Amino acid sequence: MSSASAQKAVSEKTQAKKKEHPSGDKRFKVLDITMKRAQNRPDALIEVLHKAQEAFGYLEEDVLIYVARGLKLPLSRVYGVATFYHLFSLKPSGAHTCVVCLGTACYVKGAGVLLDKLAEEAHVQQGETTADGKMSLVTARCIGACGLAPAAVFDGKVMGKQTPESIMDNVKEWLE
Ligand code: FES
């Protein structure tokens, strides 16, 4: 490789790294791909929000800000659309949020069993919040960590290779 092309490769790598969301959360990458495919057109807002909800399970402020920037739209417009359509849900009301990925890779590796365990032990169904308001349980479709299936997200922290035991361990403190 010539030094010029080596330099180009390095700068492309740095660019890609720079573009990555500071949290390192791969789900933002899924959003980037969707926005890029739509050529960052503002009229792709609903499609992008739909993808965001699939990846995150719900739309929180951080995600709405990211989408607004990506599509060069005022945040108020993004909020307006996200709250107007019933198919979108904003951050759930529980003090903590557990997102279980139900994408194909996670599903075949037992994500359904994780949900059953949470329903049985934490008395919460998907899309709902425990009666004491301590935890909301949300599902998503592929959170970008398929290699770690089955994966779940605990208050924004992605963790892979979950088992019914580990998932209960991860939410135990929240439920005390
Ligand atoms: S299917 Fe669960 S992370 Fe991709």
Side-chain angles (χ1 to χ4, degrees):
M1 198 190 280
S2 74
S3 87
S5 57
Q7 235 175 25
K8 192 171 169 234
V10 169
S11 106
E12 272 170 9
K13 224 173 158 178
T14 329
Q15 286 280 328
K17 192 107 197 137
K18 252 193 211 159
K19 274 195 186 157
E20 209 172 78
H21 190 266
S23 65
D25 190 332
K26 300 231 177 340
R27 292 175 292 175
F28 286 98
K29 212 169 184 154
V30 174
L31 277 189
D32 284 340
I33 294 168
T34 311
M35 291 196 278
K36 202 167 168 199
R37 205 179 291 140
Q39 293 157 341
N40 296 75
R41 286 190 332 267
D43 62 4
L45 177 59
I46 291 184
E47 181 193 339
V48 174
L49 287 179
H50 201 67
K51 197 74 194 172
Q53 178 146 306
E54 274 186 10
F56 290 83
Y58 57 90
L59 303 172
E60 66 179 318
E61 193 181 16
D62 197 22
V63 172
L64 296 178
I65 293 172
Y66 196 76
V67 169
R69 282 203 190 129
L71 300 181
K72 297 192 175 54
L73 280 167
L75 185 56
S76 55
R77 164 112 181 97
V78 177
Y79 258 110
V81 170
T83 49
F84 180 77
Y85 291 98
H86 293 304
L87 74 149
F88 297 126
S89 34
L90 298 183
K91 190 170 169 46
S93 56
H96 300 278
T97 307
C98 171
V99 184
V100 174
C101 179
L102 280 188
T104 311
C106 291
Y107 193 78
V108 299
K109 293 244 170 128
V113 182
L114 302 178
L115 283 179
D116 290 347
K117 183 75 174 174
L118 285 163
E120 188 190 316
E121 304 238 343
H123 310 291
V124 63
Q125 302 294 330
Q126 60 182 92
E128 291 180 0
T129 299
T130 52
D132 56 11
K134 288 183 175 166
M135 181 182 83
S136 295
L137 176 62
V138 178
T139 55
R141 298 202 149 260
C142 195
I143 57 173
C146 305
L148 299 173
V153 191
F154 304 91
D155 276 349
K157 188 168 171 217
V158 178
M159 294 183 71
K161 308 264 183 223
Q162 290 298 295
T163 62
E165 292 71 34
S166 70
I167 206 158
M168 287 316 299
D169 260 3
N170 285 319
V171 301
K172 193 170 62 196
E173 274 185 17
W174 298 347
L175 301 170
E176 278 167 5

